[in-house]
Amino acid sequence: MATELPVLKPADFASDQDIRWCPGCGDYSILAQMKKMLPTLGFPREKICFISGIGCSSRFPYYMETYGIHSIHGRAPAFATGLKNVRQDLMIWVITGDGDGLSIGGNHLMHAIRRNLDINIVMFNNRIYGLTKGQYSPTSPLGKVTKSTPMGAIDNPLHPLSIAIGCEGSFVARSIDVNIKHLGATLKRAAEHKGTSFVEVYQNCNVFNDGAWDYATDRQTKADNVLELEHGKPLIFGKNRDRGIRLNGMNPEVVELGKGISEDDLLFHDEKADEPSLAYLLSRLRNEDGFPEPIGVFRAIDKPKYDEQLNQQIEYARETKGEGSLEKLFHSGDTWTVS
Amino acid sequence: MSSTIESPPESAKSVEHLAAATVRLAGDSGDGMQITGTQLTNTSALAGNDVATFPDFPAEIRAPKGTRAGVSGFQVHFASEDIFTPGDHLDALVVMNPAALVTNLPDLKSGGILIVNEDNFESRDLKLANLEENPLENNSLDDYRVFRVPMTNLTRKAVEMVETEDGKGLSQKVADRCKNFFAMGLIYWLYGRDLDPTLRFIREKFGKRPEIVEANERALRTGWNYGETTEAFISSYQVEKATLPAGTYRNVMGNQALAWGLLTASKMSGADLFIGTYPITPASDILHELSKFKEFGVRTFQAEDEIAAVCSTIGAAFGGAMAVTSSSGPGIALKGEAMGLGMILELPMIIINVQRGGPSTGLPTKTEQSDLMQVMYGRNGESPLPVIAASSPSDCFDVAQEAWRIATSFMVPVILLSDGYIANGAEPWRIPDVADLAKIEIKHPQATEGEEFQPYARDERLARPWALPGTPGLEHRLGGLEKQDITGNVSYDPDNHQHMTDVRQQKVDNIADAIPEQAVVGPENGDLLVVSWGGTFGACTTAVERCQREGLSVAHAHLRYLNPFPRNLGDLLSRYQRILVPELNMGQLRAILRAKFLVDAEGLNKVQGKPFAVTEIVDKIKTLLA
């Protein structure tokens, strides 16, 4: 293209609609980081499209001055799939939540990820149903007392990233709403990845589940409870960066550095590993089991993309058969003439 | 294609001339009856007959062998006159086993030809069919002209000398699979059919396995020779060419014609076709057919479920594609919420329902018209959508284009109804001249300097603009929450909701201005008007013609447009003393007509998984006019 793209600012991505999330909601931060990150991509605004389902997070498209669809509950990945298949030129973001994406829309999320269309999926995980006012969600912990579980939840919770990896995800990452630098950088990595990017964002619902992620966001505790992944680097965490994750047989364990244990003994992160086991193992590390919870990019590999292959098949058919002709089609096979 | 493999054999026996014949082949679902029927259809059409077909098969792929549940049949009606139905009664019936005999015999005319594979009438076969006695050996078949043919043994002998790579010859299992071609050969002899098209078919279909080609060819020829040489058959029959309008013809099946109509609409509008769909009987062949045509820019997407299928379709519509989803009643039920979204987003798309027997899983492989209420009213909220229905296999070609024309000019999802009978039925189709096909105009807006884009501003038809992602300056958000008029922003304003509901209804009503007035065949007023829709077209047309010939004051209106109705329909209904609405449901169109026009419409209704016989409608007309 000869003409240079206009330089956009975050404000250029703000629509004229009043934002109606509760004051203090973690969604504000994600919206702000998205608006800040998008101009850095140098991608035309009119080619960006946000698609959401139903839930608090799913109001997101209304607040972005891009194209967008606020669709129906759980189905956003399916809308995105149809759109991407016919419009490879677009950058498509699916905005979903733990209820929308893992409960009613679990099937579509699974299939979008395994097809590896070149789209980006951001799941706002607040471990609660917000818009329907406080029922437990598929990521709520066992025993969670909510309006619909007065005696405690008895559903085993899902780990979103384990699901994404199990669905053969090619890009799987996690960030935290208030960790704005990390969040911005993670969203950017997701945008730049070719294939389906799945990003889980720990998001605080300050009305119905306030403090669900305190252990990962509190100044005092976060360094001990969160482990920032870096490709090719050993898994080290802690305020003093004196602890790490080591494999003991098939099982991870927390060890203290020094006293005969060096960095070389630790697990090293490899986001490009074809084998998903390491990424899966990392996705299983939970605070409640005494582990720090990793954030960052768990997995980023290159794999064939559904939309690309679909369109390649069309090109190939046109190259080998020529552009479709109705005349030829109608007269193919047996015909007869009545005079 | 006119390449001749060898000159067709000619019978030395006498030939009787007939105006029409109805033949059914019936056997086990693994016996290849559908192939046999399709071949007889094609060959008859190539011989210049008008044809209509009725394939009838069980939902199970292979029900237990030899049982009544596993019987699969294919009926072909070929004629030297214009015909609209596969025929009420059979002139000839070929049965491959006792189960096929007992389940099909009631449809055979008294004095009709019954050809039986007598090798399959051992006591074991009789037991599988729950028969105590061998019908070939009591007097139960005295009313028919029975030909007992040892098809299995003759076929085995015919393919004995076929050489295989391993030098062992064909296994008995493979040899026995050829017996449908033997039966076909015999029927071809009986009706003076050319073997060439089927020989070509055998070579194309089995070309990679020369021993199978040879075996099937031998079986076919042996069947033909059997008719010619055995003394049992005294004469064969000849159905002369039908006098169809001049032109080049081919056979089409309903789902195929529907797929081709969609392809044509795509070409005529310049929008690439996207179909998001999930396999379901009897709609899957639309997907199969379209997936062959990638060089037309067709993107087929087999979604993870019905809901994803329709949602991907809406996504593709947003992107500017000619977006289509196809299903049958159970799938349409699942798509309901998204169809409502498509309606409120006001994006153009086609939603195809190839109806089958319901409710729930119902009768998947049988036909019914019982989803009219579902597509009219089966969504939450006030959610009107236009509905049009195909009347025959070849009509699917036209209806598909009409659906896209309405969808794009009014920015609305259009529901296209077909049914299992139309979908699997075949008839001759006069190939249109591509230059004569009507273009479908599509417009996408561009930004106007200094003007804010209004996604819900409307034109004179009340259609909103179809602004595509990628267009600078037209960035906008659509959604399922109620929208403010003009701007499309979320609005909870009570008056606005009333207004938008009214506008969406009015827009659908406006379609009546863009469709033809309803035509009637017969007197413009009189004693009785038969009103029909969908796949009953053939039976109703034939029945009304028959009654008209007998001097009855009866007319026929067959509706393509079910929502909205043609402008003149109310007036038309008022011009007849009585209204009869034959439907393969319990009275759905009748209920709508009664509600809308306050007419005392009467029904002829059945849900037996079978199309109407012409005589059923004739009898009802006569009863009403008696």
Side-chain angles (χ1 to χ4, degrees):
Chain A
M1 276 221 272
T3 50
E4 277 194 24
L5 290 168
V7 180
L8 295 168
K9 296 181 288 296
D12 293 320
F13 283 92
S15 78
D16 61 357
Q17 296 298 293
D18 294 336
I19 301 176
R20 293 188 183 171
W21 287 317
C22 308
C25 176
D27 292 1
Y28 283 95
S29 165
I30 307 172
L31 179 65
Q33 293 319 307
M34 186 66 85
K35 285 182 195 161
K36 214 161 140 187
M37 183 278 292
L38 286 178
T40 69
L41 298 173
F43 198 83
R45 188 181 66 174
E46 68 274 11
K47 291 200 170 188
I48 299 175
C49 185
F50 281 85
I51 301 179
S52 62
I54 296 294
C56 294
S57 59
S58 288
R59 298 297 175 94
F60 199 96
Y62 287 125
Y63 309 137
M64 295 294 300
E65 188 56 24
T66 63
Y67 285 89
I69 302 177
H70 176 220
S71 76
I72 52 176
H73 207 359
R75 323 297 175 196
F79 290 90
T81 300
L83 181 57
K84 186 67 184 182
N85 281 335
V86 301
R87 293 293 303 273
Q88 276 193 282
D89 60 321
L90 302 179
M91 176 193 286
I92 299 173
W93 292 84
V94 169
I95 304 294
T96 184
D98 42 315
D100 187 63
L102 290 175
S103 221
I104 192 167
N107 193 28
H108 311 301
L109 184 76
M110 170 169 94
H111 288 278
I113 293 173
R114 67 135 172 146
R115 289 190 186 105
N116 199 36
L117 290 119
D118 188 13
I119 58 173
N120 313 303
I121 303 174
V122 185
M123 177 180 285
F124 298 14
N125 183 6
N126 55 20
R127 313 187 86 175
I128 198 79
Y129 278 62
L131 197 64
T132 50
K133 301 193 174 157
Q135 302 83 1
Y136 73 112
S137 90
T139 57
S140 297
L142 275 173
K144 177 79 179 170
V145 172
T146 71
K147 275 185 192 159
S148 57
T149 52
M151 295 172 74
I154 51 176
D155 291 23
N156 282 309
L158 291 172
H159 302 328
L161 298 192
S162 301
I163 302 273
I165 293 162
C167 298
E168 312 297 331
S170 66
F171 182 95
V172 178
R174 179 189 284 150
S175 193
I176 302 175
D177 55 2
V178 293
N179 197 341
I180 56 176
K181 255 180 129 172
H182 187 269
L183 176 59
T186 307
L187 292 175
K188 185 159 181 164
R189 285 281 313 268
E192 286 166 348
H193 176 73
K194 298 289 172 211
T196 300
S197 315
F198 181 83
V199 182
E200 175 192 19
V201 182
Y202 287 179
Q203 174 250 325
N204 190 40
C205 172
N206 57 324
V207 173
F208 293 108
N209 201 19
D210 195 24
W213 305 112
D214 273 359
Y215 64 88
T217 55
D218 186 275
R219 269 172 211 281
Q220 300 304 315
T221 59
K222 66 179 180 186
D224 292 331
N225 292 336
V226 170
L227 189 158
E228 209 167 310
L229 295 171
E230 282 181 86
H231 179 61
K233 300 273 175 66
L235 302 182
I236 297 175
F237 68 103
K239 226 179 258 173
N240 307 315
R241 296 190 61 76
D242 56 356
R243 278 178 290 165
I245 305 286
R246 182 175 76 170
L247 262 194
N248 179 3
M250 296 287 281
N251 300 313
E253 61 182 6
V254 174
V255 293
E256 281 186 36
L257 289 169
K259 299 174 194 163
I261 298 176
S262 76
E263 287 191 7
D264 288 347
D265 297 319
L266 300 180
L267 252 177
F268 278 64
H269 183 46
D270 180 4
E271 64 185 34
K272 295 186 173 21
D274 277 338
E275 223 308 298
S277 300
L278 171 65
Y280 186 77
L281 179 144
L282 295 175
S283 75
R284 304 284 303 174
L285 299 181
R286 304 309 306 193
N287 180 254
E288 67 215 43
D289 299 329
F291 288 101
E293 294 185 358
I295 61 170
V297 178
F298 286 57
R299 181 167 165 80
I301 61 162
D302 189 34
K303 271 182 25 174
K305 293 158 277 295
Y306 185 96
D307 51 314
E308 191 178 84
Q309 291 190 302
L310 179 70
N311 284 282
Q312 277 167 358
Q313 287 187 345
I314 286 172
E315 272 169 46
Y316 180 77
R318 282 178 162 152
E319 274 166 27
T320 50
K321 297 187 189 171
E323 174 70 32
S325 150
L326 291 176
E327 190 71 31
K328 255 202 253 168
L329 170 68
F330 295 165
H331 292 269
S332 61
D334 291 331
T335 63
W336 69 98
T337 302
V338 175
S339 46
Chain B
M1 252 195 265
S2 58
S3 64
T4 302
I5 291 169
E6 63 178 46
S7 57
E10 271 183 44
S11 174
K13 291 187 181 174
S14 69
V15 176
E16 279 181 45
H17 291 268
L18 299 173
T22 299
V23 177
R24 186 187 295 167
L25 300 121
D28 228 19
S29 36
D31 278 343
M33 294 297 103
Q34 302 301 317
I35 286 187
T36 315
T38 309
Q39 284 303 306
L40 179 59
T41 308
N42 284 341
T43 308
S44 302
L46 284 171
N49 294 150
D50 196 2
V51 295
T53 70
F54 178 48
D56 189 24
F57 44 89
E60 294 76 19
I61 302 300
R62 294 277 188 279
K65 205 167 181 277
T67 61
R68 296 185 188 201
V71 174
S72 166
F74 197 109
Q75 184 171 325
V76 188
H77 183 193
F78 44 91
S80 58
E81 58 200 5
D82 213 3
I83 50 167
F84 302 101
T85 77
D88 288 3
H89 301 292
L90 307 172
D91 297 301
L93 170 64
V94 181
V95 295
M96 306 303 279
N97 64 25
L101 174 67
V102 290
T103 51
N104 288 282
L105 196 63
D107 294 332
L108 183 60
K109 278 180 191 164
S110 170
I113 295 171
L114 176 65
I115 299 174
V116 180
N117 178 11
E118 68 170 359
D119 290 337
N120 275 356
F121 279 72
E122 303 293 332
S123 61
R124 199 179 137 267
D125 304 308
L126 297 170
K127 211 172 149 193
L128 284 170
N130 283 333
L131 284 172
E132 312 233 313
E133 274 186 79
N134 187 345
L136 300 181
E137 282 159 14
N138 56 25
N139 299 327
S140 62
L141 304 178
D142 285 358
D143 271 356
Y144 312 101
R145 285 186 281 159
V146 181
F147 298 93
R148 297 171 58 154
V149 184
M151 287 189 207
T152 311
N153 280 310
L154 290 171
T155 305
R156 281 179 194 167
K157 281 203 192 96
V159 304
E160 229 167 38
M161 55 262 281
V162 174
E163 285 177 16
T164 57
E165 265 180 30
D166 61 8
K168 290 182 190 161
L170 295 176
S171 69
Q172 197 171 83
K173 198 175 149 195
V174 173
D176 285 356
R177 275 209 198 128
C178 301
K179 65 180 183 295
N180 61 328
F181 282 97
F182 178 95
M184 206 186 299
L186 180 52
I187 284 289
Y188 279 22
W189 176 82
L190 192 61
Y191 289 101
R193 293 284 171 238
D194 184 359
L195 299 183
D196 274 1
T198 299
L199 290 170
R200 278 204 301 273
F201 164 81
I202 291 172
R203 281 169 203 187
E204 274 165 31
K205 179 151 177 94
F206 305 106
K208 284 183 189 146
R209 302 180 62 189
E211 74 280 8
I212 304 289
V213 171
E214 192 189 340
N216 283 328
E217 282 185 8
R218 280 178 185 274
L220 182 72
R221 289 182 202 280
T222 307
W224 195 94
N225 291 336
Y226 181 83
E228 180 67 11
T229 53
T230 185
E231 286 177 8
F233 291 96
I234 297 161
S235 61
S236 68
Y237 301 92
Q238 184 73 45
V239 174
E240 298 303 331
K241 286 183 181 189
T243 45
L244 297 167
T248 302
Y249 285 79
R250 62 172 301 128
N251 254 342
V252 285
M253 289 173 68
N255 276 345
Q256 177 195 21
L258 190 46
W260 290 17
L262 295 171
L263 274 181
T264 303
S266 164
K267 275 273 185 191
M268 291 300 118
S269 63
D272 276 353
L273 178 54
F274 172 89
I275 181 164
T277 184
Y278 185 78
I280 185 169
T281 302
S284 303
D285 279 340
I286 299 169
L287 166 64
H288 304 159
E289 185 68 14
L290 286 174
S291 59
K292 294 181 202 161
F293 299 115
K294 296 203 165 22
E295 70 274 23
F296 282 81
V298 178
R299 288 165 180 82
T300 56
F301 173 58
Q302 183 179 317
E304 58 270 25
D305 62 23
E306 295 282 359
I307 299 173
V310 64
C311 294
S312 68
T313 300
I314 297 174
F318 185 56
M322 177 189 165
V324 180
T325 187
S326 56
S327 191
S328 188
I332 298 296
L334 288 165
K335 292 180 199 291
E337 184 193 11
M339 287 162 66
L341 179 71
M343 196 261 343
I344 195 171
L345 297 187
E346 301 188 47
L347 284 169
M349 69 200 74
I350 300 175
I351 298 160
I352 297 166
N353 180 352
V354 185
Q355 299 163 96
R356 65 190 216 183
S360 187
T361 307
L363 300 172
T365 59
K366 312 291 180 190
T367 198
E368 213 163 279
Q369 298 182 295
S370 46
D371 296 345
L372 179 60
M373 289 293 193
Q374 180 193 34
V375 298
M376 289 286 289
Y377 307 117
R379 290 169 294 284
N380 62 304
E382 293 292 335
S383 182
L385 287 176
V387 180
I388 65 176
S391 59
S392 73
S394 63
D395 189 48
C396 289
F397 179 76
D398 298 329
V399 168
Q401 293 169 75
E402 183 67 355
W404 186 233
R405 191 185 319 279
I406 293 171
T408 51
S409 39
F410 289 86
M411 287 293 283
V412 66
V414 174
I415 295 170
L416 192 169
L417 291 175
S418 175
D419 63 43
Y421 169 73
I422 296 173
N424 292 317
E427 67 179 358
W429 173 58
R430 188 158 65 132
I431 300 172
D433 190 337
V434 172
D436 294 342
L437 294 168
K439 292 263 181 292
I440 298 171
E441 194 89 35
I442 293 179
K443 282 190 215 137
H444 299 295
Q446 295 294 322
T448 315
E449 194 67 43
E451 233 178 75
E452 204 182 335
F453 176 60
Q454 304 292 8
Y456 279 77
R458 294 171 189 280
D459 67 10
E460 68 286 354
R461 284 175 297 223
L462 298 180
R464 69 173 198 87
W466 191 7
L468 301 188
T471 318
L474 302 190
E475 289 88 348
H476 65 284
R477 276 68 54 195
L478 300 177
L481 288 169
E482 182 59 281
K483 289 142 190 15
Q484 194 176 52
D485 195 17
I486 302 175
T487 68
N489 291 329
V490 175
S491 165
Y492 296 95
D493 179 72
D495 292 338
N496 179 73
H497 179 47
Q498 180 73 58
H499 173 72
M500 292 301 276
T501 303
D502 293 342
V503 166
R504 288 188 290 258
Q505 179 66 55
Q506 186 58 51
K507 183 173 84 162
V508 172
D509 293 344
N510 286 353
I511 294 169
D513 294 331
I515 61 174
E517 294 214 324
Q518 182 61 45
V520 276
V521 177
E524 280 184 16
N525 46 56
D527 294 345
L528 180 70
L529 178 67
V530 174
V531 181
S532 59
W533 67 278
T536 56
F537 168 76
C540 291
T541 300
T542 311
V544 171
E545 276 180 5
R546 200 175 290 171
C547 292
Q548 287 170 342
R549 275 203 300 270
E550 291 179 24
L552 296 176
S553 166
V554 51
H556 181 207
H558 187 81
L559 305 183
R560 169 186 279 186
Y561 302 94
L562 297 164
N563 194 35
F565 288 127
R567 285 257 183 258
N568 64 329
L569 185 62
D571 170 51
L572 215 149
L573 296 176
S574 70
R575 291 202 250 123
Y576 298 84
Q577 300 295 319
R578 301 179 86 162
I579 310 286
L580 171 65
V581 189
E583 293 178 89
L584 298 175
N585 61 43
M586 295 315 291
Q588 300 191 10
L589 176 65
R590 174 164 48 105
I592 296 171
L593 292 177
R594 291 175 75 110
K596 199 166 167 69
F597 300 110
L598 298 177
V599 291
D600 186 16
E602 294 166 82
L604 171 63
N605 301 94
K606 75 168 186 183
V607 282
Q608 298 169 357
K610 291 196 295 190
F612 279 121
V614 173
T615 48
E616 289 173 316
I617 301 169
V618 169
D619 290 349
K620 181 73 182 180
I621 292 172
K622 287 183 177 170
T623 312
L624 288 180
L625 294 181

